[in-house]
């Protein structure tokens, strides 16, 4: 596998040459600082760009073109990563050595055609298509509220700090979605073209010079960007832990613990905290949380800890019966306390092995390989071989010392309606 960065002023091209896959994947990635006021229109924009265009007037017409290109797949994706919002137009298509000569250029040019020839008239996106996208985004928002665990995490982060970027989502609120206009999306389109950092990743078996020439032929990005992109969210560390309980009609109760990771250095963020989390609750059934809540006390089916590195947060989440809330809370706290002095060599070895296995698995998927190289480039993520060697160096002392930098911020309970009596 051979990676190379090609700087091109207004955008970068990242080529990853490998003959491991039968397909070629290209991701056109737009990055900028997260803005809670415009996130709804931005997310709608990238949905619109893969819905139709001037040359493909309907979704059906675009799907027929994909079928014509040997069932190529094109779609958009938007995520929030710490303080940044990352949106991409993704294309996966058959290796051209199995097809006719003109196929490669035809496939490669499609996402650029969608980006630079959107379905707009004057300075407005097509209103009917926008309504379809808005309904889809509102449905996504409803799905979060219908999922007790997701709803509890959202509520907990908002209670922690409603002004924090960590408490925001990429689709915004229902009102923000409903208020999106065709003109507003057009303004976001122009803003993204002129102000987003743009990186084009392509992975597969290809001639590098041919790929570079074709991308440069169709990538009509003009503006050079030099503003600062912030990645990490510095969430407040409160003098006293905060707690809140809300009522819910759901059968089970959701418990959310939010911890600040305080003053971690780069090595702790990248490696020791990953191993810490794997031992605590980020791994399988051998974690401390799983052992204490599920295996020994049968309080829940699942419990996990989630390390949000770029938000400087550790989140623990579980579902229990109403009568077991207080017992579960005590066991969560005791599990975290165990990390200070009761971590074994066996637990450490298992966590390191699992972390290395996760890194190695990334080599099996084109999108994960691209993600790794993207984070190598934009964030503090080392190449895979270095990460593996650094994980192997983590010691029990490292994990125990890091546990002193975990500070409880918020306990949130979404109390369900079920107990043993009813």
């Amino acid at each position: 596998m051979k990676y190379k960065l090609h700087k091109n002023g207004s955008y970068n091209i990242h080529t990853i040459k490998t003959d491991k896959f039968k397909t070629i994947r290209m991701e056109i990635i737009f990055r900028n600082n997260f803005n809670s006021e415009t996130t709804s229109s931005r997310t709608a924009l990238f949905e619109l760009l893969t819905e139709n265009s001037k040359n493909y007037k309907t979704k059906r017409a675009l799907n027929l073109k994909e079928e014509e290109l040997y069932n190529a797949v094109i779609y958009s994706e938007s995520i929030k990563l710490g303080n940044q919002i990352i949106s991409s137009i993704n294309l996966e298509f058959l290796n051209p050595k199995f097809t006719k000569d003109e196929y490669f250029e035809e496939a490669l040019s499609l996402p650029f055609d969608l980006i630079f020839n959107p379905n707009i008239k004057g300075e407005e996106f097509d209103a009917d298509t926008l309504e379809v996208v808005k309904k889809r985004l509102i449905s996504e928002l409803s799905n979060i509220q219908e999922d007790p665990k997701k709803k509890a995490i959202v509520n907990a982060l908002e209670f922690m700090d409603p002004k924090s970027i960590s408490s925001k989502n990429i689709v915004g609120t229902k009102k923000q979605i409903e208020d999106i206009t065709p003109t507003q999306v057009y303004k976001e389109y122009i803003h993204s073209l002129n102000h987003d950092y743009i990186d084009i990743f392509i992975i597969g078996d290809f001639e590098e010079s041919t790929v570079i020439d074709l991308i440069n032929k169709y990538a009509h990005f003009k503006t050079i960007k030099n503003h600062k992109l912030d990645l990490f969210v510095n969430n407040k560390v409160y003098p006293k832990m905060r707690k809140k309980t809300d009522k819910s009609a759901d059968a089970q109760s959701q418990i959310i613990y939010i911890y600040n990771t305080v003053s971690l250095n780069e090595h702790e963020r990248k490696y020791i905290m990953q191993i810490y989390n794997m031992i605590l609750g980020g791994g399988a059934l051998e974690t401390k949380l799983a052992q204490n809540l599920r295996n020994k006390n049968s309080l829940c089916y699942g419990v996990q800890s989630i390390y949000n590195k770029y938000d400087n947060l550790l989140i623990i989440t579980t579902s229990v019966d109403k009568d077991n809330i207080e017992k579960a809370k005590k066991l969560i706290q005791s599990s975290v306390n165990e990390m200070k002095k009761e971590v074994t060599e066996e637990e450490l070895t298992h966590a390191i092995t699992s972390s290395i296995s996760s890194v190695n698995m990334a080599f099996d998927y084109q999108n994960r390989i691209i993600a790794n190289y993207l984070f190598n480039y934009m964030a503090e993520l080392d190449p895979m071989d270095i990460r593996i060697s650094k994980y192997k160096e983590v010691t029990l002392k490292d994990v125990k010392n890091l546990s002193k930098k975990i500070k409880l911020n918020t306990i949130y309970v979404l109390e369900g309606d079920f107990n043993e009596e009813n």
Side-chain angles (χ1 to χ4, degrees):
M1 192 173 299
K2 181 182 177 183
Y3 166 81
K4 190 173 181 180
L5 168 63
H6 311 260
K7 293 188 176 182
N8 202 21
S10 56
Y11 58 94
N12 296 318
I13 302 173
H14 306 252
T15 55
I16 309 168
K17 287 194 64 177
T18 175
D19 59 3
K20 184 173 183 177
F21 307 100
K22 291 183 179 180
T23 59
I24 291 176
R25 182 179 178 89
M26 181 170 68
E27 297 187 9
I28 305 170
I29 299 171
F30 295 70
R31 298 183 291 124
N32 217 324
N33 292 316
F34 182 83
N35 184 336
S36 59
E37 295 181 2
T38 61
T39 186
S40 295
S41 55
R42 180 192 172 99
T43 302
L45 165 65
F46 283 89
E47 291 282 323
L48 282 166
L49 290 176
T50 52
E51 197 72 20
N52 53 42
S53 68
K54 284 182 179 177
N55 293 325
Y56 304 97
K57 296 292 187 183
T58 64
K59 184 68 172 179
R60 175 61 178 156
L62 181 57
N63 290 154
L64 288 173
K65 182 62 180 178
E66 291 174 283
E67 291 177 15
E68 183 184 319
L69 294 171
Y70 300 92
N71 291 318
V73 176
I74 190 165
Y75 65 96
S76 66
E77 191 172 24
S78 294
I79 63 169
K80 181 171 69 67
L81 188 72
N83 198 51
Q84 287 187 28
I85 186 164
I86 301 174
S87 305
S88 62
I89 305 294
N90 307 319
L91 169 73
E92 193 164 326
F93 60 100
L94 188 64
N95 189 315
K97 69 182 181 182
F98 303 118
T99 65
K100 56 188 180 182
D101 293 341
E102 62 270 25
Y103 166 77
F104 190 28
E105 180 169 358
E106 198 174 350
L108 205 66
S109 65
L110 179 58
F112 296 106
D113 182 71
L114 299 179
I115 291 169
F116 294 107
N117 293 295
N119 191 4
I120 58 176
K121 187 175 183 180
E123 295 185 350
E124 293 185 353
F125 270 80
D126 180 69
D128 291 337
T129 309
L130 177 57
E131 286 305 311
V132 171
V133 168
K134 286 165 68 171
K135 288 179 181 178
R136 187 187 305 156
L137 295 181
I138 289 173
S139 177
E140 288 181 21
L141 207 57
S142 297
N143 289 340
I144 293 173
Q145 291 301 310
E146 291 169 6
D147 184 308
K149 176 181 172 181
K150 291 180 180 178
K151 178 171 62 175
I153 292 175
V154 167
N155 291 357
L157 288 169
E158 187 170 355
F159 171 67
M160 177 195 77
D161 185 356
K163 295 182 179 179
S164 171
I165 294 295
S166 300
S167 71
K168 310 299 180 184
N169 67 70
I170 59 170
V171 299
T173 65
K174 184 178 180 182
K175 184 178 188 309
Q176 284 178 313
I177 297 169
E178 290 173 340
D179 289 345
I180 300 172
T181 66
T183 302
Q184 187 179 350
V185 180
Y186 178 79
K187 288 179 180 178
E188 191 61 32
Y189 170 68
I190 297 300
H191 184 274
S192 293
L193 288 181
N194 291 332
H195 295 281
D196 278 21
Y197 282 82
I198 296 168
D199 292 275
I200 301 168
F201 283 80
I202 185 163
I203 181 172
D205 188 9
F206 49 73
E207 285 294 330
E208 188 175 272
S209 59
T210 301
V211 163
I212 298 301
D213 289 344
L214 285 174
I215 291 176
N216 287 335
K217 179 179 178 180
Y218 293 103
H220 302 147
F221 303 108
K222 302 297 183 185
T223 310
I224 297 175
K225 298 86 179 177
N226 54 21
H227 62 285
K228 182 180 179 182
L229 293 188
D230 298 317
L231 185 57
F232 290 95
V233 180
N234 294 314
N235 280 294
K236 294 178 182 177
V237 179
Y238 295 99
K240 291 182 62 177
M241 178 272 294
R242 296 147 56 81
K243 58 183 179 179
K244 182 181 181 183
T245 298
D246 287 331
K247 300 292 185 180
S248 167
D250 299 315
Q252 284 202 306
S253 300
Q254 307 297 318
I255 302 175
I256 309 294
Y257 272 59
I258 302 177
Y259 293 81
N260 298 100
T261 57
V262 183
S263 302
L264 301 188
N265 61 40
E266 184 177 328
H267 181 68
E268 289 171 329
R269 261 197 313 269
K270 290 159 68 171
Y271 298 108
I272 302 174
M273 188 62 207
Q274 302 286 351
I275 300 301
Y276 175 100
N277 181 58
M278 191 67 72
I279 296 170
L280 175 63
L285 297 180
E286 297 84 1
T287 68
K288 288 193 176 296
L289 287 167
Q291 288 290 336
N292 289 334
L293 274 77
R294 174 178 170 163
N295 298 354
K296 294 178 182 178
N297 289 281
S298 302
L299 294 186
C300 59
Y301 177 76
V303 57
Q304 69 175 141
S305 59
I306 306 163
Y307 174 40
N308 289 351
K309 177 167 71 171
Y310 302 108
D311 296 273
N312 290 298
L313 295 176
L314 176 72
I315 300 173
I316 295 173
T317 173
T318 191
S319 306
V320 300
D321 290 341
K322 180 179 178 181
D323 290 343
N324 291 323
I325 290 175
E326 292 306 315
K327 185 176 181 180
K329 287 165 68 175
K330 290 178 182 178
L331 290 170
I332 289 172
Q333 191 59 57
S334 67
S335 299
V336 174
N337 289 337
E338 284 179 24
M339 295 298 297
K340 298 176 182 178
K341 54 186 177 181
E342 297 177 35
V343 180
T344 67
E345 285 287 354
E346 184 181 358
E347 288 173 318
L348 177 67
T349 300
H350 186 270
I352 291 173
T353 301
S354 297
S355 297
I356 291 173
S357 176
S358 178
V359 172
N360 285 326
M361 283 178 60
F363 286 102
D364 295 331
Y365 304 93
Q366 288 175 304
N367 61 325
R368 288 187 63 182
I369 293 171
I370 288 177
N372 270 278
Y373 280 108
L374 171 64
F375 295 143
N376 292 162
Y377 173 71
M378 64 168 276
E380 50 174 43
L381 186 70
D382 292 322
M384 295 179 183
D385 56 339
I386 294 177
R387 288 162 64 195
I388 289 171
S389 66
K390 293 293 185 182
Y391 281 136
K392 291 178 179 178
E393 295 172 2
V394 177
T395 67
L396 285 176
K397 183 179 179 181
D398 292 331
V399 174
K400 291 174 182 177
N401 286 340
L402 183 132
S403 68
K404 301 171 185 176
K405 298 185 176 184
I406 308 298
K407 180 175 174 54
L408 182 56
N409 179 311
T410 297
I411 299 175
Y412 176 81
V413 177
L414 189 60
E415 188 179 289
D417 210 22
F418 176 83
N419 57 37
E420 292 181 0
E421 293 180 0
N422 59 19

